[in-house]
Each structure stands twice: as C-alpha cells, then as structure tokens.
Amino acid sequence: MVPTEWTDDARDEWEDATEDRDPEEWTRTSGGVAMSEKVIALDFDNVLHNYTGWNNGKLNTPIEGAVEAWYKLYEAGYTLVIFTCRDDLENVRAWMHRHFDFERHIGHFYEPVITNKKPLAIAYIDDRAIRFTNWDDICRYFC
C-alpha cells in the first residue's frame, strides 16, 4: 500500500524501486532479517523464559505454556522473532533449541530469529509493556 501523504519525489522514487516487484512478495527488513506482515515479536525473559533474576546469566525453564503457544502461532503462519536485552544471543539460541525441540515439532532444522534490537512486527508480547493510548494516561500511570 502506498501512503497517500508522500511527496511527488518520494512517490516517484518508490515507484521506480518497486515497479518490477510483485506486491505479494514485498518484505521489509529489520537487522538483515526479512519481515513479513505476520511477524510477532516475543520478549525472551518472562515471556518465553522463566526469569528469576540475573543468576550470572544462567537460564531457567520455559514459562508454562510457552512451548505450546509458540507452535500454535507458528502453525497459524506467524513468523516469531525473539527480542531480548541480553548481549549473549548464542546462549538464548542454545536455550531455545534445548527447550523448544524444533526438529521434533517442525520436522526439520529450524533456526529461531533472535535479536537485541526492536524488530518490525504487528505485535510485541512483553511482560513489561504498557499499551500507549495517550500521554495523559501514561502520566497518570507513572506520575
């Protein structure tokens, strides 16, 4: 969909860049990962992983229902992206493979997308999120 508020120059540049592409194949990119319209971003700690404190980076068990919910969303056609504030993404990746057993559930090797940057998504599932409605509500909540 082309935004209606674009300047003529921006519209011309967009049309030139996309004229040979099938709109059904368009994707946006976040951190080098192609993102479709059906991306859900899942926070790692206290959404997938049962975070009980830093514990020198030691990871615990999954949150109850997380594995089952992952596969329901996956089977419904969503691309699931894990986001975290953790620096050691390989530790998170190893934990995901150990607890989510992708090959058994999906039937082939699967590499989850894990990032510590906010990905493009239609929804963000996060235990610390506050849904923005307006600034008055935000100030009432925090002030």
Side-chain angles (χ1 to χ4, degrees):
M1 175 187 296
V2 179
T4 57
E5 300 298 319
W6 280 9
T7 65
D8 289 339
D9 288 341
R11 183 183 302 278
D12 290 344
E13 185 176 319
W14 181 82
E15 287 173 352
D16 289 345
T18 59
E19 67 185 344
D20 295 327
R21 295 177 64 195
D22 179 354
E24 295 300 316
E25 296 176 5
W26 292 345
T27 59
R28 296 171 286 175
T29 303
S30 174
V33 177
M35 299 293 164
S36 72
E37 294 282 328
K38 289 185 73 171
V39 172
I40 297 176
L42 303 169
D43 183 30
F44 181 66
D45 287 318
N46 279 334
V47 172
L48 299 174
H49 164 253
N50 188 17
Y51 181 77
T52 59
W54 181 244
N55 299 325
N56 293 319
K58 181 179 179 290
L59 300 175
N60 300 312
T61 57
I63 291 283
E64 185 177 333
V67 174
E68 296 81 5
W70 174 283
Y71 288 109
K72 283 182 183 177
L73 293 167
Y74 178 86
E75 289 167 7
Y78 290 96
T79 299
L80 303 172
V81 176
I82 302 160
F83 67 97
T84 182
C85 291
R86 292 174 178 267
D87 289 328
D88 189 352
L89 300 183
E90 290 309 310
N91 194 26
V92 173
R93 184 176 317 285
W95 184 92
M96 289 295 298
H97 280 286
R98 188 169 51 255
H99 290 284
F100 282 63
D101 197 5
F102 297 114
E103 289 185 33
R104 182 171 66 85
H105 288 283
I106 296 174
H108 58 82
F109 179 78
Y110 175 82
E111 193 61 59
V113 178
I114 303 170
T115 183
N116 54 10
K117 295 178 173 63
K118 186 177 182 178
L120 295 169
I122 61 168
Y124 300 88
I125 315 273
D126 190 333
D127 63 305
R128 295 188 181 190
I130 304 291
R131 181 160 192 243
F132 179 80
T133 52
N134 60 63
W135 283 110
D136 289 336
D137 288 347
I138 296 300
C139 289
R140 271 193 293 276
Y141 184 84
F142 286 104
C143 301

